[in-house]
Amino acid sequence: MIQEKTGCDRFETEALLLLEQGQPLDDHFSSCPDCLEARAAYDRLRGGLSSLGKEDEPAPDWQARVWEKIEKRKERRRRWSPWWIAPVGITGLAALAALFLIWIPGQTPAGLRIEIEAGTTVRRGAEAQPGDLLRLAATTGGARHSELRVYRNDTELILRCSTEPPCSRRRGKLTASVVLDGVGRYQPLLIFSEKPLPDVASDLDTDTDAALTAGADVELGPRVVVR
Amino acid sequence: MLSLVHDSQELPRAVLPDPERTALAALDRRSPEEALAILMREYGTAVYRYCRQMVGDEDLAEEIQQMTFVQAYEALPKFARRSSLRTWLFGIARHRCLDAAKMTRRRRKRFGPLEDAPDLPVPGASTEDRMAERSRTGALEKCLQKLAPHIRDAIVLRFQQGLSYPEIARLSGEKAPTLQVRVARALPLLRRCLEDKGMAP
């Protein structure tokens, strides 16, 4: 039967919310015929909603299907992560860590860089004045033998060191400094090799040739001109 | 990981019903299988009925119900115990049902609504009253399906499942007063819908 629209709609606009909020209703709602009728209709509606699907039942074997699905998912995961993944992964990570700690620092490519220090200031150009300090810093690429040299005017060896002062060696890095005490062209270089390095003979060209012939590598730094 | 409850306190076990306590004890013994078996026995039908009203399709409801328990099994070891297992379980089901309901709605928008089957009494029913009741129920289900999924959700959880507003708020992440207003506004829509079908509540 279709509910007929009547005058008072306070039950829908006010009381429905108050009931959902668990609030008491005022006296109007117990005396207004429209509201009483509406209340009865909504009570029936609530009752209908409460008993919705009361007879609905899932398939009798639904629990077995849940277990089947769980097993299938476990199996799929097992297939994608065999037993050996964890140990192999851990071993691999350990090897990588060891490589990083031991091998990588030793394999920093060889190179030579210089700084020229004049008093308290540092200049990075290749121009210097008498009395300036030439600082050398080299990485030896993990070579067993290495030394720093500085030739003046390609003929005069003014610095040659390996582990002894003025050289100092730390974690594959070789550093030294020398005072540029006269006008001229200064050529810094790094020689490194797995074999012992040949002795110094005379000038830059001859010594470099001898080193290359002995299988060493030679890294020339920027030439510095002192005026 | 599932995070379906929004307060941080663990519920005291004394306030939980017996099956929940048994299930939690199983979890303490690191036996999620035993806990799941209890949950399926206690709440399996309720979850199915909720899904059935939410998605309006028996097969889909069954699939969602089963997947709810599969997902619950996988998440049980991480259950944070901030709500009852029932609320937590309905939270999982709710997510899946809302997704399915939205998809169905989108499909209907694209391909047009399915033709409503007439709300005829079921043939062979034993009494006239029973037939009328069936017919009313069918009409009510259809009217529910016309509501937006989040409104239908509040109605079904409130009335069919009998959850309190704080419980619905906990599993939906919404505020209880918002849900109360939503339900209060939806009831007249359902009433009108039934009246349009010639079935006043």
Side-chain angles (χ1 to χ4, degrees):
Chain A
M1 177 185 138
I2 297 171
Q3 199 86 12
E4 205 174 312
K5 276 269 180 191
T6 52
C8 183
D9 63 354
R10 278 189 62 196
F11 190 85
E12 277 192 0
T13 56
E14 294 172 40
L16 273 180
L17 180 58
L18 289 171
L19 287 173
E20 291 311 311
Q21 290 170 333
Q23 304 281 329
L25 302 183
D26 65 43
D27 291 342
H28 167 83
F29 296 106
S30 51
S31 55
C32 166
D34 293 333
C35 293
L36 285 170
E37 200 180 321
R39 180 166 197 163
Y42 281 107
D43 284 347
R44 286 193 296 275
L45 178 58
R46 281 197 190 86
L49 288 167
S50 303
S51 55
L52 265 186
K54 230 168 38 183
E55 290 164 14
D56 290 343
E57 292 289 339
D61 63 342
W62 75 271
Q63 294 194 22
R65 286 197 218 160
V66 170
W67 290 119
E68 261 171 40
K69 284 184 170 128
I70 288 171
E71 273 314 305
K72 267 186 197 159
R73 282 160 77 106
K74 278 184 182 171
E75 182 56 39
R76 208 176 306 145
R77 260 184 231 129
R78 269 196 292 270
R79 216 177 303 146
W80 285 106
S81 57
W83 64 269
W84 47 266
I85 286 279
V88 166
I90 290 166
T91 312
L93 283 175
L96 277 175
L99 215 60
F100 181 76
L101 290 173
I102 299 161
W103 186 74
I104 298 292
Q107 289 303 304
T108 309
L112 175 64
R113 95 191 145 75
I114 63 159
E115 277 178 358
I116 299 159
E117 195 176 305
T120 54
T121 58
V122 173
R123 284 183 279 145
R124 294 191 185 277
E127 294 268 323
Q129 292 173 355
D132 285 356
L133 192 68
L134 173 65
R135 290 188 185 280
L136 306 163
T139 44
T140 61
R144 198 172 291 173
H145 303 277
S146 58
E147 62 181 47
L148 286 170
R149 293 182 196 175
V150 177
Y151 288 85
R152 179 161 50 200
N153 298 327
D154 295 353
T155 52
E156 185 187 352
L157 183 65
I158 64 161
L159 172 83
R160 182 195 179 200
C161 63
S162 177
T163 51
E164 69 290 354
C167 275
S168 86
R169 184 187 293 268
R170 201 175 166 196
R171 292 179 71 92
K173 198 170 174 184
L174 193 57
T175 56
S177 57
V178 60
V179 176
L180 304 171
D181 56 4
V183 173
R185 298 185 317 275
Y186 291 79
Q187 178 60 61
L189 60 100
L190 166 73
I191 302 174
F192 57 99
S193 175
E194 289 304 309
K195 296 178 197 161
L197 300 174
D199 212 345
V200 175
S202 55
D203 55 36
L204 174 66
D205 288 339
T206 312
D207 290 347
T208 309
D209 281 345
L212 291 170
T213 308
D217 286 301
V218 176
E219 189 79 24
L220 290 173
R223 189 182 279 264
V224 179
V225 180
V226 178
R227 298 176 202 276
Chain B
M1 163 161 177
L2 292 163
S3 175
L4 302 163
V5 287
H6 302 271
D7 55 346
S8 56
Q9 270 192 323
E10 193 171 314
L11 280 185
R13 284 198 189 186
V15 303
L16 297 172
D18 277 348
E20 296 245 342
R21 274 184 284 187
T22 319
L24 289 177
L27 282 182
D28 289 341
R29 292 193 301 275
R30 297 190 178 188
S31 176
E33 289 81 8
E34 197 185 328
L36 183 74
I38 295 166
L39 293 182
M40 288 201 290
R41 193 179 61 231
E42 290 299 319
Y43 304 127
T45 304
V47 169
Y48 171 74
R49 287 176 182 166
Y50 163 73
C51 294
R52 168 80 181 73
Q53 294 308 321
M54 281 300 291
V55 299
D57 177 275
E58 284 174 20
D59 293 337
L60 185 56
E62 209 163 279
E63 180 61 24
I64 295 174
Q65 176 223 25
Q66 288 170 22
M67 284 316 293
T68 296
F69 285 95
V70 170
Q71 203 178 336
Y73 171 78
E74 289 169 352
L76 266 173
K78 289 176 262 169
F79 175 58
R81 305 180 187 209
R82 292 177 198 142
S83 69
S84 67
L85 278 162
R86 180 192 183 215
T87 306
W88 176 75
L89 203 54
F90 270 92
I92 299 173
R94 178 179 178 273
H95 274 289
R96 292 189 157 265
C97 288
L98 283 178
D99 285 346
K102 280 175 198 160
M103 277 175 67
T104 308
R105 209 175 161 81
R106 233 174 284 150
R107 206 167 36 235
R108 278 188 190 154
K109 260 187 193 169
R110 203 166 164 191
F111 300 109
L114 295 171
E115 199 64 39
D116 269 4
D119 302 314
L120 293 175
V122 178
S126 57
T127 68
E128 205 172 296
D129 281 351
R130 189 172 160 79
M131 288 159 72
E133 178 62 30
R134 281 273 183 95
S135 184
R136 244 195 312 274
T137 303
L140 186 53
E141 283 182 356
K142 278 181 188 140
C143 289
L144 258 182
Q145 290 302 315
K146 286 184 176 166
L147 296 177
H150 69 291
I151 300 174
R152 194 185 325 148
D153 175 55
I155 294 276
V156 175
L157 288 174
R158 177 76 188 107
F159 296 112
Q160 187 206 43
Q161 294 302 320
L163 263 61
S164 67
Y165 280 109
E167 281 176 312
I168 304 173
R170 192 174 288 156
L171 72 85
S172 66
E174 296 192 73
K175 290 180 177 159
T178 309
L179 294 162
Q180 287 162 347
V181 171
R182 191 175 295 164
V183 169
R185 285 184 185 162
L187 289 173
L189 298 178
L190 286 175
R191 186 183 175 191
R192 305 275 172 274
C193 175
L194 286 173
E195 285 170 357
D196 289 347
K197 288 179 183 292
M199 299 200 185

